[in-house]
């Protein structure tokens, strides 16, 4: 609950970026080509390819391209003069292990949601990698394909990969830890067979969308007759989701060790949400398609009956709590006669948490407005898109598209109540050329402010220098517009030997520069309209501060893998260019300032740098850091067995914490440790800690503080038992 509450407000921001891609998926698929019979090829210990699937080397797809027949992906394009699958660039990737060796025989899965964006189904693999670790798929018109790759004993870093057409992606697999799950009914102890279980692990488990039903996943499947399933996970933090056939869906935070983990999930009885769908006049809408979302793990779809009534059972009532003023905790969306969801309603818990009743009124609000050029004249023929921003409702409400007429006027129907973003699309990647916000009422129409196309006569002249006015060459520069989709990139480049970079044809309203400086953090530079017409250059002068230290392995040997400096500037978080430590593990970053603060992190996903978030401080040259593998990091989580005065296990609340002080002076400063995950009776830190010996105190609300002494990491003994008294 605490994690989901903290992420709901951030989720809307994340989905702004994701929604920009949603309209690409709107074109209905054409019927698939007849399958070319081929021998079934299976990776060891994995389900075989579907019988009758076309050969990976089918003549129609070329020697390395395989048509994919999952929910329209891989079908021929409609006859509109467009190239067919064999003529379009394919989706390609090479799969390697932690040592960068190709992985042959790995199974490739597509993540395809249901019509209303439901939980991706458990499907058979669509391809396997060849002897070079490569695979290639042909899609219909999608710009991206979400894939997950599995091989025996290995799991994909990052859970899933979005493949971009025509670009070969690199997918890394690392040794997997087995999470052995048993799902039972809490009331009877009976096994829950055929429960859908999935896991999100690694760094993705800490992402703001980790509690979103459609988030990536490391592995998934259904429990057997005994309620058991084994899933592959990255070592470290993970989130386990369980959606049973009967009973309330739930989720559980975990810390997964290299040797794996045993987890028992007890399913409680759920509540019921019932209601009916009506049109704008209050008339029932028969056979409407309805979806109920209760994050993090409940998403179901039903069809209303002939009177517009529907019902959902096994609803996890404990999650029906609104955490902020902008986003509902749970919601119902409905689709009427069209393919668009045209109504939504928030679901609130009933007094007895058993039955909640709602009415979904389908809306058909209209958004009107004009697209105008910088001189105020109408700009006809431009594509206009409206996206629901608040409430985000995950991906339930589709964007509404239209085209401005000759006078620049547009008319978008089918909107639902809420805050909408209206955009003019144009340029590569359907980037927004202009945007405005408008509130749509429950009925009637909304008139949006004019969408004013930018004046693109701006000229940027930019330089990067250090504190001594010496030019900084090789700094990567991204020019981003202050309009349209967040992070819309107008131009990219790097500073030359004189530290200079130039770009023309930019929006005169102003731009922001994201600058990644060698051996430094990244910088956010605001460029005003006056700077885009001036003859002089905009100059970024790095602060004079430096900060350095040494990185070592657990055995004390120097660590030489690349590092980078991260920072949060404005609403953005990013990192500078990688830095190679010296032979003794020494590193030094330049341009370090006290505010905003910067931190050092590993630039190689195969390593974890400890302490997590090690701060760079101007003038310090004695920082100590440790580089550990994910397997080593799992042994550096603080683990405690927590019981009450009678010895009974205690459930650890989300706001429990441990204050630790190093006693061997190896760690730089006292550390506050928050509870990450664990079953009842256990405290597990959310992140790994630096090696060393610690004293501290455990704070659990409602109980007296408990002292801790001589805690050693990595742990060599069983977790200590802490007795708490009220």
């Amino acid at each position: 609950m605490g994690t989901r509450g903290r992420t709901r407000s951030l989720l809307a921001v994340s989905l702004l970026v994701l929604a920009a891609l949603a309209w690409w998926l709107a074109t209905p698929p054409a019927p698939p080509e007849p399958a070319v019979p081929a021998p079934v090829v299976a990776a060891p210990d994995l389900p075989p390819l579907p019988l009758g699937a076309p050969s990976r080397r089918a003549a129609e797809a070329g020697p390395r391209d395989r048509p994919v027949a999952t929910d329209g992906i891989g079908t021929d394009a409609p006859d509109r003069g467009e190239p067919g699958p064999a003529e379009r660039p394919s989706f390609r990737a090479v799969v390697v292990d932690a040592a960068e060796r190709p992985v042959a025989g790995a199974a490739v899965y597509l993540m395809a949601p249901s019509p209303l964006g439901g939980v991706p189904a458990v499907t058979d693999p669509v391809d396997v990698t060849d002897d070079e670790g490569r695979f290639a798929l042909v899609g219909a018109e999608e710009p991206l394909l979400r894939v997950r790759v599995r091989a025996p004993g290995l799991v994909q870093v990052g859970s899933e990969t979005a493949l971009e057409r025509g670009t070969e992606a690199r997918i890394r697999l690392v040794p997997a830890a087995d999470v052995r799950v048993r799902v039972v009914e809490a009331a009877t102890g009976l096994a829950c067979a055929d429960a859908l279980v999935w896991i999100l692990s690694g760094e993705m488990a800490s992402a703001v969308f980790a509690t979103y039903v459609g988030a990536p996943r490391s592995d998934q499947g259904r429990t057997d007759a005994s309620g058991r399933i084994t899933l592959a996970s990255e070592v470290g933090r993970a989130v386990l989701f369980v959606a049973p056939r009967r009973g309330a869906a739930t989720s559980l935070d975990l810390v997964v060790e290299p040797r794996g983990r045993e987890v028992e999930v007890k399913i409680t009885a759920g509540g019921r949400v019932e209601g009916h769908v009506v049109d704008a006049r209050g008339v029932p809408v028969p056979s409407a398609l309805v979806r109920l979302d209760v994050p993090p793990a409940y998403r179901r779809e039903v069809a209303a009956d002939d009177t517009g009534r529907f019902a959902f059972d096994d609803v996890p009532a404990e999650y029906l709590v609104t955490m902020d003023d902008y986003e509902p905790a749970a919601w119902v969306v409905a689709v009427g006669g069209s393919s668009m969801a045209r109504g939504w309603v928030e679901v609130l818990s009933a007094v007895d948490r058993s039955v909640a009743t709602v009415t979904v009124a389908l809306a058909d609000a209209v958004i009107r407005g004009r697209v105008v050029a910088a001189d105020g004249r109408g700009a006809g023929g431009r594509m206009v898109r409206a996206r629901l921003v608040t409430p985000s409702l995950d991906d339930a409400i589709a964007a509404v598209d239209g085209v401005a007429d000759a006078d620049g006027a547009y008319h978008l129907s089918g909107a639902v109540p809420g805050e909408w973003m209206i955009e003019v699309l144009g340029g590569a990647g359907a980037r927004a050329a202009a945007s405005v916000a408008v509130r749509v009422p429950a009925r009637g129409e909304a008139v949006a402010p004019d969408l004013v196309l930018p004046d693109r006569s701006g000229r940027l002249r930019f330089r990067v220098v250090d504190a001594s006015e010496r030019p900084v060459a090789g700094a990567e520069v991204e020019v981003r517009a202050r309009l349209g989709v967040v992070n819309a990139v107008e131009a990219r480049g790097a500073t030359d030997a004189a530290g200079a970079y130039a770009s023309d044809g930019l929006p005169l309203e102003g731009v922001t520069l994201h600058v990644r400086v060698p051996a430094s953090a990244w910088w956010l530079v605001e460029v005003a309209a006056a700077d885009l017409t001036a003859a002089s250059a905009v100059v970024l002068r790095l602060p004079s501060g430096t900060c350095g230290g040494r990185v070592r392995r657990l055995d004390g040997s120097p660590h030489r893998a690349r590092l980078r400096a991260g920072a949060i500037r404005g609403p953005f978080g990013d990192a500078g260019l990688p830095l190679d430590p010296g032979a003794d593990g020494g590193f030094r970053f330049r341009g370090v300032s006290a505010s905003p603060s910067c931190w050092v992190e590993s630039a190689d996903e195969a390593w974890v740098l400890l302490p997590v978030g090690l701060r760079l401080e101007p003038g310090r040259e004695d920082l100590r850091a440790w580089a550990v593998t994910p397997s080593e990091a799992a042994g550096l989580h603080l683990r405690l067995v927590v019981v009450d005065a009678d010895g009974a296990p205690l459930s650890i609340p989300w706001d429990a914490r441990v204050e630790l002080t190093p006693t061997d002076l190896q760690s730089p400063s006292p550390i506050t440790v928050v509870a990450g995950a664990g079953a009842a009776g256990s405290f597990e830190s959310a992140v790994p800690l630096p090696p060393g010996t610690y004293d501290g105190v455990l704070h659990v609300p409602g109980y007296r503080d408990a002292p801790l002494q001589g805690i050693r990491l990595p742990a060599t003994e069983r977790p200590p038992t802490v007795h708490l008294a009220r």
Side-chain angles (χ1 to χ4, degrees):
M1 290 294 294
T3 302
R4 182 173 64 85
R6 290 191 296 270
T7 61
R8 292 293 300 154
S9 58
L10 293 174
L11 181 58
V13 178
S14 300
L15 293 176
L16 287 178
V17 179
L18 296 176
L21 298 175
W23 73 281
W24 290 93
L25 305 176
T27 303
E33 286 185 336
V36 179
V40 175
V41 181
D45 300 323
L46 290 170
L49 293 173
L51 290 172
S55 169
R56 186 155 38 122
R57 301 184 184 277
E60 297 82 13
R64 301 201 51 79
D65 295 344
R66 174 175 176 178
V68 182
T70 301
D71 287 347
I73 300 173
T75 60
D76 277 331
D79 186 11
R80 296 182 296 214
E82 301 175 0
E87 302 171 77
R88 287 191 295 268
S90 60
F91 300 92
R92 301 173 181 270
V94 57
V95 181
V96 299
D97 63 14
E100 298 297 319
R101 297 170 300 196
V103 178
V108 182
Y109 298 82
L110 276 179
M111 307 309 294
S114 61
L116 267 179
V119 176
V122 179
T123 61
D124 291 326
V126 296
D127 203 356
V128 293
T129 56
D130 62 16
D131 293 341
E132 298 175 353
R134 287 183 161 83
F135 67 90
L137 308 173
V138 174
E141 297 180 353
E142 292 75 10
L144 299 172
L145 284 185
R146 287 174 58 192
V147 299
R148 176 170 55 87
V149 179
R150 272 286 316 277
L154 300 174
V155 65
Q156 180 174 332
V157 173
S159 301
E160 293 177 8
T161 297
L163 302 183
E164 187 174 352
R165 187 190 302 280
T167 301
E168 184 176 76
R170 194 171 190 85
I171 298 174
R172 172 180 281 180
L173 306 185
V174 296
D178 288 341
V179 177
R180 296 170 289 277
V181 183
R182 184 167 186 255
V183 184
V184 299
E185 295 179 359
T188 65
L190 297 176
C192 293
D194 205 34
L196 179 61
V197 185
W198 67 97
I199 192 168
L200 173 62
S201 63
E203 292 186 359
M204 299 295 286
S206 301
V208 295
F209 51 76
T211 56
Y212 164 49
V213 177
R217 54 206 60 202
S218 302
D219 200 3
Q220 66 177 14
R222 291 191 177 275
T223 55
D224 60 18
S226 65
R228 299 181 185 276
I229 185 175
T230 299
L231 300 177
S233 170
E234 292 184 63
V235 172
R237 186 175 180 186
V239 185
L240 182 71
F241 302 85
V242 181
R245 290 290 187 184
R246 295 181 56 187
T250 189
S251 68
L252 177 67
D253 290 335
L254 304 172
V255 175
V256 181
E257 300 180 2
R259 64 176 180 269
R261 175 138 188 188
E262 300 275 353
V263 180
E264 183 176 77
V265 181
K266 296 183 178 180
I267 300 300
T268 60
R272 181 178 176 89
V273 172
E274 57 187 32
H276 61 288
V277 183
V278 299
D279 63 17
R281 300 169 298 171
V283 177
V285 178
S287 304
L289 185 62
V290 187
R291 184 180 102 185
L292 170 62
D293 281 78
V294 187
Y298 187 99
R299 174 176 288 179
R300 294 188 184 179
E301 300 166 10
V302 299
D305 63 18
D306 292 341
T307 65
R309 295 193 172 275
F310 61 87
F312 294 93
D313 291 312
D314 301 320
V315 179
E318 66 269 22
Y319 291 102
L320 300 183
V321 179
T322 300
M323 303 304 297
D324 55 52
D325 296 332
Y326 303 100
E327 294 293 330
W331 58 89
V332 170
V333 296
V335 172
S338 68
S339 60
M340 293 175 52
R342 291 180 40 232
W344 71 273
V345 64
E346 181 177 9
V347 179
L348 296 175
S349 177
V351 175
D352 59 359
R353 290 198 167 191
S354 59
V355 179
T357 303
V358 297
T359 298
V360 187
L362 300 186
D364 195 11
V366 174
I367 303 175
R368 301 179 186 274
R370 290 186 73 226
V371 182
V372 299
D375 59 6
R377 293 181 297 179
R382 302 301 297 264
M383 183 174 180
V384 181
R385 166 167 298 149
R387 297 182 294 108
L388 181 65
V389 176
T390 305
S392 65
L393 304 183
D394 291 345
D395 56 0
I397 304 296
V400 182
D401 291 343
V403 178
D405 62 19
D407 294 327
Y410 63 87
H411 175 285
L412 305 177
S413 61
V416 301
E419 296 285 345
W420 288 73
M421 181 70 71
I422 319 299
E423 301 167 337
V424 179
L425 302 184
R431 184 182 63 216
S435 64
V436 295
V438 63
R439 172 177 285 277
V440 174
R443 297 183 181 180
E445 67 178 34
V447 179
D450 285 349
L451 285 160
V452 182
L453 299 178
D455 181 340
R456 291 188 170 274
S457 61
R459 300 172 65 251
L460 173 67
R461 300 297 179 263
F462 177 64
R463 291 185 65 227
V464 181
V465 298
D466 64 15
S468 301
E469 297 293 327
R470 292 173 298 198
V472 176
E476 295 182 355
V477 182
E478 283 185 352
V479 184
R480 305 191 181 192
R482 292 185 187 173
L483 45 86
V485 178
V486 175
N487 291 352
V489 178
E490 295 285 334
R492 287 189 177 94
T495 56
D496 58 21
Y501 170 79
S503 181
D504 296 336
L506 300 177
L508 199 57
E509 286 81 355
V511 296
T512 59
L513 308 181
H514 289 224
V515 186
R516 297 176 180 88
V517 178
S520 184
W522 76 283
W523 302 86
L524 184 68
V525 180
E526 299 283 350
V527 180
D531 296 322
L532 295 175
T533 57
S536 59
V538 176
V539 179
L540 168 62
R541 290 179 174 84
L542 302 182
S544 59
T546 62
C547 184
R550 282 184 171 80
V551 185
R552 298 189 180 277
R553 297 288 313 279
L554 288 182
D555 60 7
S557 61
H559 177 74
R560 299 192 61 188
R562 296 183 304 169
L563 307 174
R564 62 187 179 188
I568 295 178
R569 305 189 191 278
F572 304 103
D574 208 337
L577 298 178
L579 171 70
D580 293 314
D584 61 350
F587 65 89
R588 177 180 287 116
F589 287 97
R590 61 179 171 177
V592 178
S593 59
S595 179
S597 63
C598 303
W599 64 88
V600 59
E601 62 188 24
S602 175
D604 188 338
E605 61 190 13
W607 298 93
V608 178
L609 194 72
L610 302 178
V612 174
L614 176 59
R615 183 173 178 177
L616 295 173
E617 301 177 28
R620 286 200 62 176
E621 301 291 338
D622 59 349
L623 294 184
R624 294 187 178 209
W626 289 262
V628 299
T629 65
S631 297
E632 292 170 335
L636 289 165
H637 284 266
L638 173 65
R639 293 178 176 85
L640 304 172
V641 176
V642 185
V643 298
D644 62 16
D646 298 324
L650 285 178
S651 295
I652 305 301
W654 67 269
D655 53 351
R657 70 186 191 280
V658 171
E659 302 287 346
L660 291 179
T661 301
T663 60
D664 54 5
L665 301 182
Q666 289 189 15
S667 299
S669 60
I671 299 174
T672 299
V673 182
V674 297
S682 67
F683 177 101
E684 298 181 355
S685 61
V687 298
L689 306 177
T693 303
Y694 298 88
D695 290 341
V697 60
L698 170 62
H699 304 277
V700 177
Y703 293 86
R704 297 176 185 174
D705 291 347
L708 306 172
Q709 290 186 332
I711 303 293
R712 289 195 57 81
L713 295 175
T716 57
E717 302 174 350
R718 291 185 177 181
T721 299
V722 182
H723 292 79
L724 295 182
R726 291 191 177 276

